[in-house]
Each structure stands twice: as C-alpha cells, then as structure tokens.
Amino acid sequence: MSTVNTSIRDALYEAPGPKARKRIAIATAVSLAVLAVLICLIVRQFYITGQLNAKYWSLFTKFSTWKFLGHGLAGTLEVALAAGVVAFVAGLLLMLGRISNSKILRGISMALIEFSRGVPTLLFIYFFFLIAPQFGLKLPAFWKISTPVALSAAGVVAEVFRSGVNAVPKGQTEAALSLGMRGCSVFFKIVFPQAFRYVIPSLISELVIVLKDTTFAYVVNYADLMQNAKVLISNYDALLSVYLVAAVIYILINYLLNKVSVAIARRMHVSSTMIMQ
Amino acid sequence: MSVSNLLAQFGDKYLLALLTTWKLTALAFVLAFAIGIVITIMRVCPIKPLRLAGDFYVQVFRNIPGAALLIILVYALPYLNLVWSYYICVLIATSLLPAAFCSEYLMAGMNTIDVGQIEAARSLGMTFFQTILNVVLPQALRSTVLQMTNLLVATMLTTALASQVPLKPTDLTGIVSYINTHAVGGVTAFLISALLYCGTAVVIGQLGNLIDRKVRILR
C-alpha cells in the first residue's frame, strides 16, 4: 500500500471488501440521484422562468456575437498582460529593495509590499478613477484599470520572487563570492536565474489573479469581456445567458492558466503555490 | 481636505464602514471555512460523484472573477426568481470564493501527513469519518495556519466587492467613492481606508504567526 506515490487521497481507504463495495455502490447511487435532482431543479428553474427560451440563446449561434465577445476578451487579455508586465517589474524592484543591504531601502520596500498586499484592488482602482484626476492625472481607460491591478499584484510578486531567492542554496553565493565575483553579479548571474526558474509557476498563478481583477474594468468604462457582455445584453435583451457565458469563458481561461502552471511546476520539480489575492 | 476635517465630517461613517468590513470578513470567513471543510471531505471520500462534485466546485470558484460572480448573483439570478438582498449577495460571493481556496489549502495540508498514520488509524479499525475527523483534519488544520491567515486577509480584500452594490452602511472601499462624490475628499479619504485595511491585515498576520508557532507540528 505504501508505495512512494501514495497520496493521502488514496491512502484513506484500501481496496474495499465485498461489504464495503456494496455500501460504496449504494452511496454512489444515492449521491448520483441527489446530484441529478439538483441539476433537474436548476434546469426546472430555468424552464419555469422562461430562461431556456430560444431567444435568449440563439444569439450564440451568430458569428458576430462571438466576434464581439472575442474583442472583449482581447481587451481583457491586453489589460491583464500590461498589468502583468508592470507588476513583474514593480515586484522585482520591490524584492530587490526588500533584500538590499540598506536599512532604509529595506524598510520602505517592506512598507510598500505590505501596502500593496493589504489594500483591495478596487480601492486602488478608485484611486486612479476618482482621486488621481483631481490632481490632474488623467490616464486613458486602459491604464486606469491596468495600473491599479498591477500595483495590487506587485506586492505578491515581490514576495514570490523573494521566496525563490531564498530557495537558492546559500552555498552557491558563497562559492561565487570565493571565486571573486562581485555581490551584484553574483545575484544577477547566479542567484536570480535559478530563483526565477523556481517561481515561474507561481508567477503564472499570479497572472490568474491579475486576469480576475481586470473584471473591474467596467468601473472605468474600458471595453473588456464583461463590458462587451453588457453591450450584448442591451442589444439582445438576454442578461442571464450572456453573463453565464462570460463567466464560463473566464473560468475556462483561468483553469487553463492554472493547468499550465501546475504542468510547468511538475516538469521543473518545483511547487506551484496557490494564491487567492 | 485635512485629516481632522475629513474625520469631523465623516468620522462616524468611517467607523461604521470599518465595522461593516470587519463583520462581513468574519461572517464570510466562517462560512467559507465551513463550506471548505465539507467540500474537502467530499473530495477525499470514496464516493466518486461526490469527489467530482467537490473538484468541480473548487475549479469553478477558484477561477471565476469575484466581480462576475457578484454581478450574476445580483443581476442575473433574479431572472430565475432567486432574489436576495444586496447584503446576502455580497456575503454569498465573499464566502463561496474563499471556500474553494480553503479546500485547496486543506488538501495540501493533508498531503503533509505521513501515510503511515492513516494506515495506523485504519488498522485500529477507524472508519473513514473517524480517520478524517480525528486524525487527518486536525493535523491538516494545524499545518495550514499561515495559509488560512492569508485566506482571512484575502477574504477581507474580497469584501471590497460590497462597494459595487448600494449597501447601507457601506464598507471601507465604498466610503471612499461616497466621500469623493459628495465632497472633495481627495487622497486623504483613500489613505484612511487603505491604512485601516492594511492595519487589519498586519494584525491578522501577526496573530496568525503567533498561532502558527503554538500549533505547528514539527516534522
């Protein structure tokens, strides 16, 4: 039983005997029935409220609908990518400050990281949407959404980088130093390339959070997937179906990103951390 | 606007907003924890449909954006005759999302337990539920204190969703937009809310470290 690859999920019960098999079979049947009833109830609710009516769903047979949603999705991905790049750079700088030798720089970076991690994305968005314009800082909608999303991700990115740097064995730094390399080149030539490898999966998970946060683009009126869904809703008068489809698109994309993260983590034998915010 | 001016005018509203955020966070976290544990037990039980349903739940709520979920709860579900108050909608959204992550953390926590312990429990004649409740979950909980602390902070940040619906009293994010539409609160209004969020997060983090040091199982 205790093979190397046994996870807890498999170890909790052994191959069942005849009695247990019977019990499991009954429980399986009962749970299937319960799940089926649940699904039926949901479908029934759709049916009696008329939401299964073809007029709410026929728009998805049109190419123009998908093209329009595709444009929105492109907008979402552009914002997410821009925010991801900004967060990457800002996170890298914060991490460098956090591990630097200067006490002041360390303190400032630590405070900024805590601030970035402790403040909700929406509050950052309101800052760029409501408050920054009062000071004459008028950004285009694209940056009004991607900057705050990036700022609220930067703190986590910095911590992810730092965990990667900490995972590189100390002996490597010592060896490089004793070969006569300078501290700076030790970090950028020896430590960081390895640290970066360790954290690629976690960075991809962080991209999922960035992508989710871009959903707030409607606050600043940027045409992302959600915003285009809204336009479709007013054109076709089909709210429930369009929002459900948009949600499924988001779920599928993030699901794929998570899968990629886990696959890379497995290939490189590093762990992929799950981050919620 | 100076801090004292702002607090004189909106001080009581800020206090209410802070309490709203705290209350939402606490309620959502307790609910998320309860749902998370149930989902986790489903995901490891020997009954295949329940396992799949648990996995499905986690994948859906790990990956759906909070704003999309709240919009569906508030604007779409009434079309199915499911009408809840704004507060309930926010509470549902802010507990369903962390529940998925809670389950993921518990699953990871379970994997730190030595398989030998489970085998020992089984050979003592413990049933599946006895093993889960007496051997697996307590240890999984003790080794995931730090993750759960982060989850509590994440739950608090998620409650900022409350600002997207008209809620009375509003939360710490909503009040910033309220002040900036009723007066020129400027950067002060933002900073007060941000520091209250941050302060809460730091306190939660410190408490988490304290609890972690007390209960962590050294292996």
Side-chain angles (χ1 to χ4, degrees), chain A:
Chain A
M1 189 67 205
S2 316
T3 48
V4 189
N5 284 324
T6 321
S7 77
I8 289 296
R9 214 171 166 171
D10 308 309
L12 278 165
Y13 25 83
E14 55 203 287
K19 256 190 189 165
R21 260 209 302 275
K22 207 168 154 192
R23 272 208 309 269
I24 289 176
I26 293 171
T28 304
V30 170
S31 63
L32 266 180
V34 171
L35 287 175
V37 167
L38 263 175
I39 293 169
C40 283
L41 276 177
I42 294 171
V43 173
R44 180 175 167 270
Q45 201 68 23
F46 271 81
Y47 180 74
I48 58 175
T49 50
Q51 287 298 324
L52 285 183
N53 196 316
K55 72 174 178 191
Y56 293 124
W57 299 91
S58 59
L59 67 143
F60 292 109
T61 58
K62 287 185 200 153
F63 177 67
S64 60
T65 306
W66 290 106
K67 201 177 150 196
F68 193 60
L69 282 178
H71 277 306
L73 184 58
T76 292
L77 294 180
E78 277 166 26
V79 167
L81 209 64
V85 171
V86 175
F88 182 90
V89 175
L92 192 58
L93 291 176
L94 283 175
M95 182 274 286
L96 289 176
R98 177 77 175 75
I99 62 168
S100 77
N101 291 326
S102 148
K103 217 172 183 176
I104 301 168
L105 212 54
R106 266 209 312 270
I108 294 173
S109 311
M110 239 157 95
L112 287 177
I113 290 172
E114 287 298 331
F115 192 78
S116 156
R117 292 177 52 192
V119 174
T121 314
L122 258 172
L123 200 53
F124 279 122
I125 293 174
Y126 277 134
F127 180 81
F128 281 90
F129 177 58
L130 292 172
I131 297 162
Q134 294 170 15
F135 295 90
L137 182 64
K138 288 199 173 72
L139 295 169
F142 181 86
W143 290 107
K144 258 189 204 155
I145 179 69
S146 45
T147 318
V149 169
L151 288 186
S152 84
V156 180
V157 173
E159 289 299 283
V160 165
F161 273 135
R162 197 164 68 94
S163 73
V165 168
N166 286 340
V168 178
K170 272 274 175 301
Q172 302 215 10
T173 312
E174 289 160 7
L177 284 174
S178 64
L179 284 174
M181 282 174 85
R182 283 191 314 124
C184 213
S185 60
V186 170
F187 184 80
F188 285 106
K189 287 188 177 150
I190 310 282
V191 178
F192 189 70
Q194 300 185 65
F196 184 64
R197 260 178 57 97
Y198 289 141
V199 299
I200 290 175
S202 305
L203 289 178
I204 297 176
S205 313
E206 183 58 27
L207 198 58
V208 171
I209 296 158
V210 166
L211 204 133
K212 284 198 247 175
D213 279 347
T214 61
T215 329
F216 293 121
Y218 66 83
V219 175
V220 300
N221 246 320
Y222 175 77
D224 75 329
L225 178 58
M226 216 56 186
Q227 190 74 8
N228 277 14
K230 244 184 198 167
V231 176
L232 275 184
I233 286 166
S234 55
N235 282 353
Y236 290 94
D237 198 26
L239 188 139
L240 183 75
S241 54
V242 174
Y243 272 147
L244 283 184
V245 169
V248 169
I249 295 175
Y250 275 115
I251 292 171
L252 286 180
I253 291 173
N254 291 334
Y255 177 77
L256 283 179
L257 274 176
N258 279 325
K259 277 268 174 256
V260 169
S261 161
V262 171
I264 293 178
R266 201 165 290 156
R267 263 187 69 167
M268 311 210 310
H269 304 290
V270 296
S271 66
S272 163
T273 48
M274 293 161 289
I275 321 162
M276 184 179 166
Q277 191 102 31

Side-chain angles (χ1 to χ4, degrees), chain B residues 35 44 70 154 172 198:
Chain B
I35 301 170
V44 295
L70 185 67
L172 270 181
C198 265

Side-chain angles (χ1 to χ4, degrees), chain B:
Chain B
M1 199 186 268
S2 72
V3 180
S4 53
N5 269 344
L6 196 71
L7 284 183
Q9 204 178 337
F10 297 105
D12 48 339
K13 282 208 161 60
Y14 256 114
L15 191 63
L16 272 177
L18 180 65
L19 290 177
T20 306
T21 291
W22 280 356
K23 203 176 133 198
L24 257 177
T25 306
L27 275 175
F29 187 68
V30 169
L31 280 173
F33 213 82
I35 301 170
I37 286 180
V38 172
I39 294 288
T40 308
I41 293 178
M42 279 170 69
R43 290 173 79 192
V44 295
C45 79
I47 300 152
K48 195 98 189 256
L50 291 186
R51 275 184 177 213
L52 293 179
D55 285 344
F56 182 74
Y57 175 94
V58 170
Q59 288 310 334
V60 167
F61 289 102
R62 244 186 94 167
N63 293 322
I64 192 170
L69 179 62
L70 185 67
I71 286 173
I72 287 177
L73 284 169
V74 173
Y75 298 109
L77 288 194
Y79 284 88
L80 296 176
N81 288 342
L82 298 170
V83 190
W84 295 304
S85 72
Y86 287 127
Y87 191 80
I88 297 295
C89 286
V90 171
L91 193 58
I92 293 176
T94 50
S95 39
L96 290 186
L97 297 171
F101 288 86
C102 177
S103 173
E104 289 287 66
Y105 294 148
L106 285 177
M107 293 291 275
M110 281 186 182
N111 278 321
T112 63
I113 302 167
D114 191 348
V115 172
Q117 293 205 29
I118 318 265
E119 288 168 348
R122 270 216 323 268
S123 50
L124 284 172
M126 287 173 123
T127 63
F128 169 75
F129 272 106
Q130 284 174 327
T131 316
I132 284 281
L133 294 178
N134 298 321
V135 181
V136 177
L137 269 183
Q139 297 193 64
L141 286 173
R142 283 176 67 176
S143 58
T144 49
V145 172
L146 289 183
Q147 281 99 312
M148 293 305 171
T149 315
N150 284 336
L151 188 69
L152 181 53
V153 174
T155 308
M156 176 183 74
L157 300 183
T158 312
T159 63
L161 278 175
S163 63
Q164 300 306 296
V165 294
L167 207 65
K168 260 189 185 169
T170 181
D171 75 317
L172 270 181
T173 302
I175 195 164
V176 174
S177 107
Y178 174 86
I179 290 175
N180 274 284
T181 43
H182 285 75
V184 184
V187 85
T188 325
F190 163 79
L191 277 181
I192 294 176
S193 275
L195 289 178
L196 287 174
Y197 273 117
C198 265
T200 312
V202 169
V203 170
I204 292 173
Q206 295 296 327
L207 282 178
N209 282 336
L210 210 73
I211 297 173
D212 181 60
R213 241 172 304 167
K214 276 233 171 1
V215 304
R216 178 181 280 281
I217 305 162
L218 298 170
R219 291 184 214 275

